[in-house]
């Protein structure tokens, strides 16, 4: 948002941080619901495989619909306060950002599909990489710094390295136990990181809005 006027830039930064935080909390919540539901049915997995797949499909659809709705609302609201020149530049930046995110997501998602036995552990690596691409893309294209995303990427990769060091030796000795522990570590990390980082971003956006409100209205 280097090209935008100050009030547009401040609005976009705060709104963007709020949206990202909200989506992180949403992902953590829906993932928790799906994981708990799957665990309750795991003893009868053969008889309930379709139910579990249907449940995850519904949750994924809800997340996608809400995310698209949130991003669309955010974009429309921001564009309304832009002049034609700002809108034109912003649209080009959004296009470039979406291309970078798509390429980054595909590249970092490949290890999950290419290494099925360690898929649960590779999820940590892949999600950490996507968070890093998101952080770098927002910083490079829009000039806005969201350190929470960098912290999230760092935690995911640290947990991936620790999980590999401690769990991978069990893969040959007890594959079943390895799969269960990998899934638990990956799931707990996903839920905790997204919930905590999302809450921090929501809080920061509220603080930013409050600080700007006090400044505009000269409130001490």
């Amino acid at each position: 948002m280097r090209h935008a006027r100050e009030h547009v830039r401040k609005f976009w930064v705060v709104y963007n941080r709020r949206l990202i935080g909200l989506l992180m909390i949403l992902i953590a919540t829906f993932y928790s619901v799906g994981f708990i539901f799957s665990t309750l049915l795991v003893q009868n997995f053969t008889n309930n495989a379709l139910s579990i797949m249907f449940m995850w499909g519904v949750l994924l659809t809800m997340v996608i619909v809400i995310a698209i709705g949130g991003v669309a609302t955010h974009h429309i609201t921001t564009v309304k306060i832009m002049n034609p020149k700002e809108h034109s530049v912003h649209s080009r930046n959004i296009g470039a950002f979406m291309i970078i995110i798509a390429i980054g997501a595909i590249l970092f998602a490949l290890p999950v599909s290419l290494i099925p036995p360690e898929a649960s552990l590779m999820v940590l690596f892949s999600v950490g990489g996507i968070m890093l691409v998101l952080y770098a893309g927002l910083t490079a294209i829009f000039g806005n710094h969201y350190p929470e995303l960098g912290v999230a990427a760092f935690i995911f990769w640290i947990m991936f390295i620790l999980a590999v060091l401690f769990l991978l030796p069990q893969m040959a000795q007890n594959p079943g136990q390895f799969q269960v522990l990998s899934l638990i570590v990956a799931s707990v990390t996903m839920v905790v990181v997204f919930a905590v980082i999302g809450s921090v971003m929501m809080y920061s956006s509220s603080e930013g809005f409050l600080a700007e409100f006090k400044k505009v209205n000269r409130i001490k």
Side-chain angles (χ1 to χ4, degrees):
M1 297 293 286
R2 303 180 184 90
H3 63 284
R5 290 162 293 170
E6 183 179 3
H7 72 281
V8 177
R9 183 170 60 253
K10 288 182 177 180
F11 174 82
W12 191 85
V13 169
V14 173
Y15 201 148
N16 212 38
R17 177 175 270 113
R18 174 180 173 273
L19 177 62
I20 296 173
L22 182 61
L23 292 178
M24 283 187 168
I25 295 175
L26 178 71
I27 293 173
T29 302
F30 278 71
Y31 190 93
S32 299
V33 172
F35 182 77
I36 293 173
F37 188 82
S38 299
T39 303
L40 292 175
L41 296 179
V42 71
Q43 292 181 344
N44 301 313
F45 182 79
T46 302
N47 298 325
N48 293 280
L50 291 178
S51 298
I52 293 177
M53 292 176 62
F54 176 76
M55 178 270 303
W56 279 106
V58 171
L59 291 177
L60 181 61
T61 301
M62 292 176 65
V63 171
I64 292 175
V65 170
I66 295 174
I68 292 176
V71 172
T73 302
H74 171 41
H75 180 70
I76 294 172
T77 304
T78 304
V79 167
K80 286 182 179 180
I81 62 175
M82 289 181 170
N83 58 37
K85 181 180 178 180
E86 291 171 337
H87 185 193
S88 177
V89 177
H90 185 64
S91 296
R92 290 198 299 271
N93 288 344
I94 289 292
F97 177 73
M98 295 302 293
I99 292 174
I100 291 175
I101 292 298
I103 294 175
I106 291 173
L107 292 177
F108 278 107
L110 283 178
V112 177
S113 59
L114 295 178
I115 315 177
E118 294 87 17
S120 295
L121 292 185
M122 293 309 300
V123 165
L124 295 176
F125 173 81
S126 298
V127 175
I130 293 172
M131 289 292 102
L132 186 61
V133 172
L134 183 61
Y135 168 76
L138 288 170
T139 302
I141 296 178
F142 298 101
N144 295 316
H145 185 61
Y146 297 98
E148 299 92 343
L149 298 176
V151 172
F154 176 77
I155 295 175
F156 276 119
W157 278 358
I158 287 295
M159 289 303 299
F160 169 73
I161 293 173
L162 293 177
V164 169
L165 292 176
F166 288 100
L167 297 181
L168 204 57
Q170 297 185 19
M171 184 177 175
Q173 301 173 5
N174 193 336
Q177 184 179 16
F178 168 78
Q179 294 293 344
V180 171
L181 292 177
S182 298
L183 178 61
I184 292 175
V185 171
S187 298
V188 171
T189 303
M190 288 270 291
V191 172
V192 172
V193 172
F194 276 126
V196 173
I197 298 297
S199 298
V200 170
M201 296 191 76
M202 289 284 288
Y203 178 78
S204 298
S205 67
S206 299
E207 287 293 300
F209 173 80
L210 181 61
E212 191 63 23
F213 178 81
K214 289 182 177 180
K215 178 181 178 181
V216 171
N217 293 279
R218 299 179 181 179
I219 300 175
K220 294 184 179 181

